[in-house]
Amino acid sequence: MAEWTSAVGAAQLARLITSQQERTAVPGARKLPAYRTLADGIRLLVLEGRVPVAARLPAERELAGSLSLSRTTVAAAYEALRGEGFLESRRGAGSWTAVPAGNPLPARGLEPLPPESLGSMIDLGCAALPAPEPWLTKAVQGALEELPPYAHTHGDYPAGLPALRRMLADRYTEQGIPTMPEQIMVTTGAMGAIDAICSLFAGRGERIAVESPSYANILQLMRAAGVRLVPVAMAEGLAGWDMDVWRQVLRDSAPRLAYVVADFHNPTGALASEEQRRAMVEAARAAGTVLVADETMLELSLEPDLDMPRPVCSFDPAGSTVITVGSASKAFWAGMRIGWVRAAPDVIRSLVAARAYADLGTPVLEQLAVNWLMRTGGWAEAVEMRREQARENRDALVAAVRRELPDWEFEVPLGGLTLWARAGGLSGSRLAEVGERVGVRVPSGPRFGVDGAFEGYVRLPFTVGGPVAEEAAVRLAAAARLVASGEAGASSEPPRTFVA
């Protein structure tokens, strides 16, 4: 069996290389041999995630024709990449991209920061905001008032509280997507939902197509489950989903599942258009792939007049192709571990049956709190508070990074909680390492790719604002200077204590 999981065509690779060379050209720089320029270009595309790891490259003759180079030049570039560990080949199977064993996937940057570190460390690791008070307290108080009848039961509701299932179904129906409570299962956060879906649909060794980059914790969950990740490169900036590439990957790889974040994608912040959503559903249906649409960022539009596209599941209302995952964690509070799944009734029944061997059910009190918020209008007011806070934080962080790190490249998203920044040619992994020593915690790009891609990126969440955002940018700039000067290994001053 071939070691590659996707393929990149000669014309497509030529376009990527040409575009990259135009973007990175430095006037007056020393001109490298043609084969070296080509090898460096392909290597950078892999590290940035523009070409996925384990993607089969075109034959030497095909790529030579598309780039107007000699076949000897392409062969020399491929040989150089093989020597550096960025290309593997086997007779009869072709050549496919790889990442050297010396480029391990970084493990730091997304775990919650220990409370004792909060005084000296600015945490840009977790994309989560404090609770929108007073609504958390009001919701818990309302839940406690409604708890007594449930306290007289066993407390196990594998599909979720009937009242909350009905509330969630009605919310989808109000969006023009007729939904019955039987199409809803309440879970312990979105992670619990996706874990259950992967366990049901994708056993060990099955393929799952994922955006590249994608949400780091979901990628790790899938790796732990033993599935084979098939990365699908996102387009530049906020353009998002290249549907020609998606169609090809779904057709060629026939993955069991495809996981997408169409609403303010994590980490890039891209928002899929209705045309992209419709095409994605059609491509998944044609390939026999179940499409998992993660809506955890759906309600975090940061532009008041933004006309949101219809949900992905509106193009598959019966739920035969699309399974939707939602959550209270991003829109309300990360400590509110309530998620949900919307799917066809038979899928929900299968998920509920399988749950008996996992977590049995979701805490009743938290379900009552979310139901109280949605029933009383508190949810809408709390989400609006969350949007205002995230918008202010985004604007403050963007201004500070542009001032302190003018060579960093990014596009400002219209919603969500994250900024995806190309770090001026520096290593994101080194920035993450050095950043912790100067008092700012930031996750490196490879956390969001498959097998070491996106080395030149970092993710910056909208979790701090005002003076804290300004200080975070100052510390990032200090880390960048150390990395760029090659002094990252030297001792540095301890970070200043900073009180928000």
Side-chain angles (χ1 to χ4, degrees):
M1 185 171 62
E3 286 81 352
W4 52 272
T5 57
S6 62
V8 56
Q12 179 190 359
L13 183 57
R15 285 196 302 271
L16 289 171
I17 291 171
T18 301
S19 174
Q20 177 200 75
Q21 290 173 344
E22 292 173 351
R23 176 171 54 82
T24 59
V26 177
R30 181 172 61 91
K31 189 173 182 179
L32 297 174
Y35 86 90
R36 186 68 262 173
T37 300
L38 177 58
D40 288 349
I42 294 175
R43 176 177 53 80
L44 185 57
L45 287 171
V46 172
L47 288 175
E48 288 189 345
R50 303 294 302 127
V51 170
V53 175
R56 187 179 64 172
L57 295 187
E60 296 167 0
R61 189 185 303 278
E62 294 175 357
L63 185 57
S66 295
L67 287 171
S68 299
L69 295 172
S70 71
R71 183 178 178 181
T72 302
T73 298
V74 176
Y78 278 16
E79 183 59 34
L81 290 168
R82 275 189 288 269
E84 296 163 4
F86 285 94
L87 197 68
E88 296 181 10
S89 304
R90 185 164 59 81
R91 186 178 297 277
S95 299
W96 56 93
T97 56
V99 171
N103 287 56
L105 190 70
R108 64 176 69 193
L110 290 180
E111 300 78 11
L113 189 68
E116 62 270 18
S117 300
L118 291 175
S120 60
M121 185 75 69
I122 298 177
D123 187 10
L124 297 181
C126 295
L129 290 163
E133 289 287 32
W135 291 107
L136 175 61
T137 298
K138 288 184 176 182
V140 173
Q141 291 171 341
L144 286 171
E145 293 175 1
E146 297 176 4
L147 182 62
Y150 295 94
H152 295 291
T153 73
H154 48 65
D156 288 336
Y157 296 88
L161 291 184
L164 182 55
R165 295 177 74 195
R166 189 177 308 109
M167 176 65 67
L168 293 168
D170 289 346
R171 284 168 61 86
Y172 281 106
T173 300
E174 290 169 2
Q175 296 178 67
I177 311 162
T179 303
M180 304 178 294
E182 291 78 11
Q183 290 179 262
I184 301 292
M185 181 177 83
V186 181
T187 63
T188 307
M191 292 289 289
I194 294 171
D195 185 33
I197 293 167
C198 290
S199 298
L200 179 64
F201 285 94
R204 185 169 293 274
E206 293 273 9
R207 293 181 177 184
I208 300 181
V210 295
E211 297 145 328
S212 183
S214 187
Y215 178 38
N217 288 337
I218 292 297
L219 295 180
Q220 187 56 35
L221 181 155
M222 292 175 177
R223 288 189 191 98
V227 303
R228 298 178 64 190
L229 297 178
V230 181
V232 186
M234 297 282 282
E236 284 284 355
L238 298 179
W241 298 259
D242 186 328
M243 289 316 306
D244 289 337
V245 175
W246 270 99
R247 291 187 190 95
Q248 179 180 341
V249 170
L250 294 181
R251 181 177 63 250
D252 294 348
S253 299
R256 188 71 182 91
L257 291 176
Y259 169 77
V260 298
V261 185
D263 299 285
F264 309 121
H265 176 260
N266 186 354
T268 68
L271 177 65
S273 66
E274 287 205 2
E275 292 74 15
Q276 288 171 321
R277 294 165 191 245
R278 180 183 292 105
M280 183 75 73
V281 174
E282 292 173 352
R285 184 181 293 120
T289 297
V290 176
L291 182 63
V292 181
D294 184 335
E295 290 187 343
T296 52
M297 297 283 189
L298 171 65
E299 298 192 64
L300 292 175
S301 168
L302 304 186
E303 301 299 330
D305 299 325
L306 181 61
D307 186 15
M308 287 290 292
R310 288 178 290 167
V312 175
C313 62
S314 67
F315 302 99
D316 178 52
S320 59
T321 297
V322 177
I323 297 178
T324 301
V325 172
S327 172
S329 297
K330 296 298 185 184
F332 186 74
W333 183 48
M336 188 68 76
R337 304 305 303 161
I338 299 294
W340 54 86
V341 178
R342 181 199 181 275
D346 62 315
V347 172
I348 295 297
R349 287 193 294 270
S350 297
L351 289 170
V352 171
R355 193 174 194 180
Y357 307 100
D359 65 352
L360 296 179
T362 302
V364 170
L365 187 63
E366 293 183 29
Q367 292 187 72
L368 288 172
V370 171
N371 189 62
W372 183 92
L373 284 165
M374 291 181 172
R375 189 184 72 247
T376 62
W379 177 270
E381 294 198 34
V383 169
E384 186 54 39
M385 287 178 60
R386 171 69 78 239
R387 289 172 179 154
E388 291 176 6
Q389 185 178 14
R391 184 185 306 117
E392 291 175 359
N393 288 356
R394 178 197 64 181
D395 295 346
L397 184 66
V398 165
V401 172
R402 282 178 171 163
R403 182 179 63 251
E404 300 293 336
L405 294 151
D407 57 335
W408 284 26
E409 302 173 49
F410 54 83
E411 291 189 36
V412 182
L414 301 176
L417 290 172
T418 57
L419 188 72
W420 185 238
R422 182 183 282 115
L426 301 178
S427 162
S429 297
R430 294 294 286 147
L431 283 167
E433 179 184 356
V434 177
E436 292 202 23
R437 282 193 269 135
V438 300
V440 60
R441 192 165 180 263
V442 58
S444 61
R447 290 297 310 272
F448 305 90
V450 176
D451 296 333
F454 304 106
E455 183 56 61
Y457 289 80
V458 294
R459 190 194 73 171
L460 306 176
F462 310 142
T463 51
V464 297
V468 185
E470 294 177 5
E471 178 67 13
V474 168
R475 296 184 185 187
L476 278 174
R481 285 192 296 272
L482 286 172
V483 173
S485 66
E487 300 175 5
S491 61
S492 56
E493 293 183 13
R496 303 191 298 271
T497 299
F498 191 86
V499 180

